[in-house]
Amino acid sequence: GRIDDFAVVESDPRVFYVATASAGLWKTTNNGVTFTPVFDDQTTSTIGDVTVSQSNPDIVWVGTGEPNNRQSSSWGDGVYKSADGGQTWKNMGLRDTHHIGRIVIHPINPDVVYVAALGHLWDANKERGLFKTTDGGKTWINTKFIDENTGFVDIAMDPENSNTLYAAAYQRRRAPWGFNGGGPGSGLYKTTDGGETWLKLPKGLPEGPMGRIGIDIYRKNPSIIYLSLQGTATGTYRSDDKGETWRMMSNYNNRPMYYSKIRIDPGNDQRIWSLGAPMGYSEDGGKTFRTDLVRGIHGDHHAMWINPTNSDHMLVGSDGGIHIAYDRGLTWEFINTLPLGQ
């Protein structure tokens, strides 16, 4: 069963949530020894993203509808919120977005939430874009709408300035006879005023139509940002000036329409993980990647969490379930306690 995302309580990493492509949401409070299904009473079981508020871990947001573009991709019915650690849920709207790529929560005020919504996979629709709420989901503003064929697949917030965010627009369409994974609507955007205005960031990025883009910001120095980008020059990109300029580090981005997710080691900006099948690992800032480090576990890696206080501790989610490492990926423990079906 495909794992789409993790949400870990950083103050107590034994507590984390697991979002699945078609088997609901699961929670553990003992580092994966046992899991409890916490979303089975809802009307959908497909999860695109799960995010926990680090300032109040009882608050959990779920975006339904997985963001991966397969023939088997299930669509959801909007975003859900729990205020009691996943015991109960309330649908907070955006029901016609169908697929949610990412949710980010303000680090201090959990009423402020951003949602990257992809919209329908199989046809055009208006309820897609970059949504924001300032009242805990009672009302929403679409801060960036491009067109009825383009939504947003990823968003990242500057850890030192919550008004600065980067968002990846993604134009894509699946049809019975194939898949179109890019277009002129795709691109990278930045806001410095909490979504009031967005500026497109083209300098150093490839010209022409783009596809899926994944974003990660280096915690120790948020001037450093990495992209896993699909376009006329697909690959790994780095910025050292908060996205003003970019340079291509390498052409590594394995099967970009299905993955395009990148993660930076919280303690070393030269250690980069590029999710995919296989997993790519770089120790030189993305110039070169090795694919023989993560071995002996299922491929198709869609989710990764790295402990911000101990980067040897990692969670990886794939089409084959959950794996945990305590030695930066040299050996893995398979968490074989989730009865998933897909």
Side-chain angles (χ1 to χ4, degrees):
R2 189 156 56 249
I3 306 298
D4 279 339
D5 196 27
F6 296 113
V8 182
V9 177
E10 293 182 357
S11 60
D12 184 2
R14 296 173 301 174
V15 181
F16 62 87
Y17 298 83
V18 180
T20 71
S22 61
L25 183 73
W26 299 75
K27 180 181 180 180
T28 180
T29 59
N30 53 22
N31 200 39
V33 177
T34 58
F35 283 90
T36 302
V38 295
F39 209 70
D40 283 8
D41 293 336
Q42 309 311 313
T43 58
T44 183
S45 61
T46 174
I47 313 295
D49 187 79
V50 57
T51 304
V52 62
S53 169
Q54 300 300 335
S55 63
N56 182 357
D58 284 337
I59 297 176
V60 187
W61 282 83
V62 160
T64 62
E66 70 159 323
N68 302 308
N69 312 295
R70 294 198 64 89
Q71 308 96 314
S72 59
S73 295
S74 301
W75 60 85
D77 67 341
V79 292
Y80 288 74
K81 177 184 177 182
S82 174
D84 52 17
Q87 296 181 58
T88 59
W89 298 89
K90 182 179 180 181
N91 187 297
M92 305 307 293
L94 308 183
R95 287 182 178 269
D96 202 37
T97 56
H98 270 203
H99 303 273
I100 302 296
R102 183 72 62 205
I103 300 173
V104 295
I105 305 174
H106 192 282
I108 299 173
N109 181 2
D111 283 340
V112 178
V113 179
Y114 297 84
V115 175
L118 279 158
H120 294 190
L121 175 61
W122 293 83
D123 61 3
N125 77 306
K126 289 185 177 180
E127 196 168 21
R128 61 175 79 208
L130 205 291
F131 292 88
K132 179 183 180 180
T133 180
T134 58
D135 54 16
K138 296 176 184 177
T139 60
W140 295 93
I141 298 173
N142 193 345
T143 68
K144 184 62 181 178
F145 175 79
I146 296 175
D147 58 50
E148 294 185 8
N149 301 299
T150 306
F152 280 79
V153 68
D154 204 2
I155 183 170
M157 180 181 288
D158 188 312
E160 294 181 355
N161 183 351
S162 57
N163 283 322
T164 297
L165 300 100
Y166 305 84
Y170 187 21
Q171 179 179 339
R172 91 277 193 258
R173 177 64 44 79
R174 183 168 279 285
W177 56 85
F179 175 69
N180 184 358
S186 300
L188 184 68
Y189 290 84
K190 177 182 179 180
T191 179
T192 57
D193 52 18
E196 292 290 328
T197 58
W198 292 90
L199 176 69
K200 197 170 186 180
L201 301 177
K203 194 171 182 180
L205 298 181
E207 297 180 357
M210 292 187 191
R212 186 167 179 168
I213 303 171
I215 312 166
D216 201 19
I217 304 173
Y218 185 45
R219 286 196 182 211
K220 283 190 172 183
N221 178 4
S223 294
I224 299 172
I225 310 166
Y226 280 88
L227 303 178
S228 188
L229 182 144
Q230 179 186 23
T232 53
T234 295
T236 300
Y237 289 77
R238 171 174 168 141
S239 173
D240 290 277
D241 53 13
K242 291 183 178 286
E244 296 302 313
T245 60
W246 298 88
R247 68 184 190 275
M248 187 178 187
M249 306 304 292
S250 69
N251 63 0
Y252 188 87
N253 184 2
N254 181 33
R255 201 180 177 193
M257 75 87 180
Y258 196 39
Y259 305 105
S260 284
K261 290 185 178 180
I262 194 162
R263 296 292 178 263
I264 311 169
D265 187 304
N268 186 339
D269 67 290
Q270 296 299 304
R271 290 178 183 158
I272 310 300
W273 298 86
S274 182
L275 277 65
M279 177 87 75
Y281 173 67
S282 175
E283 291 186 324
D284 55 13
K287 295 176 183 176
T288 61
F289 283 88
R290 54 183 294 192
T291 58
D292 61 343
L293 182 63
V294 179
R295 290 179 143 187
I297 65 174
H298 197 286
D300 289 297
H301 304 100
H302 292 280
M304 171 179 272
W305 174 81
I306 307 174
N307 191 326
T309 62
N310 175 15
S311 58
D312 286 349
H313 176 205
M314 305 161 57
L315 301 177
V316 163
S318 71
D319 285 8
I322 306 166
H323 293 81
I324 304 180
Y326 301 96
D327 53 10
R328 204 189 311 143
L330 294 177
T331 57
W332 296 89
E333 178 183 4
F334 175 43
I335 307 303
N336 195 23
T337 54
L338 280 182
L340 305 183
Q342 185 177 5

